């Protein structure tokens, strides 16, 4: 059985694309949801709440020891790129699921930016993976190219004005998302560069000031 962990999003995506080559009217999802081996509804709800920051399962004694050791090994793996295997042994009711659920909540959690930042999402480096950017103080942007460690690889740029509406899209079809700003209702400034957004700007007038704006590939 294959298992994909934090940092292997592209591998998981490739596996799904290879294994499910065409639509089947949700039959695969039905089989997963109605399979013989599946998590209980209460466990699914508890995991969902934990991912939102709630403490659903409290660990005690050896559970805490195993949890901290696995976190430590996970940090080492992220630093040196080596895979490590941990086997937690114990009979029914010893808390193996408690450890696993707490690890899932902790290892999928990242911290980036400030509470007042405006959050943007896009593929800033063209690797096929969307990551985060934040807009701060009106026209300062911090682009990250890592989901696992967003603070490790950040590009800071200034673009537009504080009152501008910001849009994200691949304006030139090169596979890299960049910024555009809407100003004065129907004037748009499209940039095709992340590192130097003012160097390659196209200005167009479109629509009316009261219009809602949508971004997409319509052709």
């Amino acid at each position: 059985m294959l298992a994909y962990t934090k940092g292997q999003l592209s591998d998981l995506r490739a596996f799904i694309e290879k294994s499910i080559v065409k639509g089947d009217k949700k039959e695969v999802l039905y089989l997963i949801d109605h399979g013989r081996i599946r998590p209980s509804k209460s466990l699914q709800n508890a995991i969902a709440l934990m991912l939102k920051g709630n403490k659903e399962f409290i660990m005690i004694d050896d559970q805490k020891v195993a949890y901290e050791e696995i976190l430590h090994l996970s940090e080492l793996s992220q630093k040196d790129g080596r895979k490590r295997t941990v086997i937690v042994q114990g009979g029914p009711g010893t808390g193996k699921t408690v450890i696993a659920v707490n690890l899932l909540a902790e290892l999928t959690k990242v911290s980036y930016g400030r509470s007042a930042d405006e959050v943007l999402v896009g593929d800033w480096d063209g690797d096929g993976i969307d990551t985060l950017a934040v807009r701060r103080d009106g026209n300062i942007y911090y682009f990250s190219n890592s989901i696992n460690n967003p603070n490790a690889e950040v590009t800071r740029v200034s673009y537009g004005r504080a009152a501008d509406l910001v849009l994200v899209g691949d304006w030139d079809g090169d596979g890299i998302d960049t910024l555009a700003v809407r100003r004065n209702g129907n004037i748009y400034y499209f940039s095709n560069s992340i590192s130097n957004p003012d160097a390659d700007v196209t200005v167009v007038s479109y629509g009316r000031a009261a219009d809602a704006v949508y971004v997409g590939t319509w052709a």
Side-chain angles (χ1 to χ4, degrees):
M1 179 181 294
L2 294 174
Y4 295 90
T5 57
K6 182 178 180 181
Q8 295 180 297
L9 175 61
S10 58
D11 294 335
L12 174 59
R13 180 181 295 168
F15 173 75
I16 293 174
E17 290 177 348
K18 179 181 178 181
S19 303
I20 305 175
V21 296
K22 61 180 180 179
D24 57 5
K25 297 182 180 180
K26 301 182 180 179
E27 182 179 348
V28 170
L29 294 178
Y30 178 86
L31 293 175
I32 293 173
D33 191 46
H34 294 78
R36 182 174 62 85
I37 301 175
R38 64 183 187 275
S40 66
K41 186 65 176 178
S42 60
L43 178 58
Q44 294 179 52
N45 292 337
I47 293 175
L49 289 172
M50 290 190 70
L51 293 177
K52 294 179 180 178
N54 297 334
K55 293 292 184 180
E56 295 294 313
F57 297 117
I58 305 301
M59 294 179 292
I60 60 174
D61 304 329
D62 289 344
Q63 296 171 3
K64 291 182 179 180
V65 174
Y67 171 83
E68 294 296 340
E69 178 63 18
I70 295 171
L71 278 185
H72 172 65
L73 293 175
S74 175
E75 292 174 358
L76 289 179
S77 293
Q78 292 181 53
K79 289 179 180 178
D80 61 23
R82 294 175 53 198
K83 290 188 175 183
R84 293 171 170 84
T85 301
V86 179
I87 299 176
V88 179
Q89 295 181 314
T94 54
K96 298 186 297 298
T97 299
V98 171
I99 296 172
V101 171
N102 276 279
L103 285 169
L104 175 65
E106 182 63 27
L107 292 174
T108 55
K109 179 175 63 179
V110 297
S111 175
Y112 185 60
R114 301 174 183 173
S115 58
D117 289 340
E118 179 182 350
V119 181
L120 306 172
V121 176
D123 181 3
W124 314 121
D125 59 1
D127 65 353
I129 300 175
D130 286 341
T131 50
L132 301 178
V134 295
R135 180 189 189 187
R136 185 176 302 162
D137 299 327
N139 69 336
I140 306 298
Y141 299 84
Y142 297 82
F143 297 91
S144 173
N145 288 320
S146 172
I147 285 295
N148 302 323
N149 189 7
N151 294 291
E153 186 181 347
V154 177
T155 300
R156 179 187 184 277
V157 300
S158 173
Y159 186 60
R161 302 174 183 173
D164 290 339
L165 172 67
V166 182
L167 306 171
V168 173
D170 180 6
W171 315 121
D172 58 0
D174 65 352
I176 299 176
D177 289 329
T178 50
L179 302 179
V181 296
R182 180 187 188 184
R183 186 175 301 161
N184 298 329
N186 69 338
I187 306 299
Y188 298 84
Y189 297 78
F190 295 92
S191 173
N192 288 317
S193 172
I194 287 293
S195 59
N196 189 8
D198 291 309
D200 185 9
V201 177
T202 301
V203 182
V204 300
S205 174
Y206 184 63
R208 301 174 181 174
D211 290 341
V213 182
Y214 299 92
V215 174
T217 302
W218 314 119

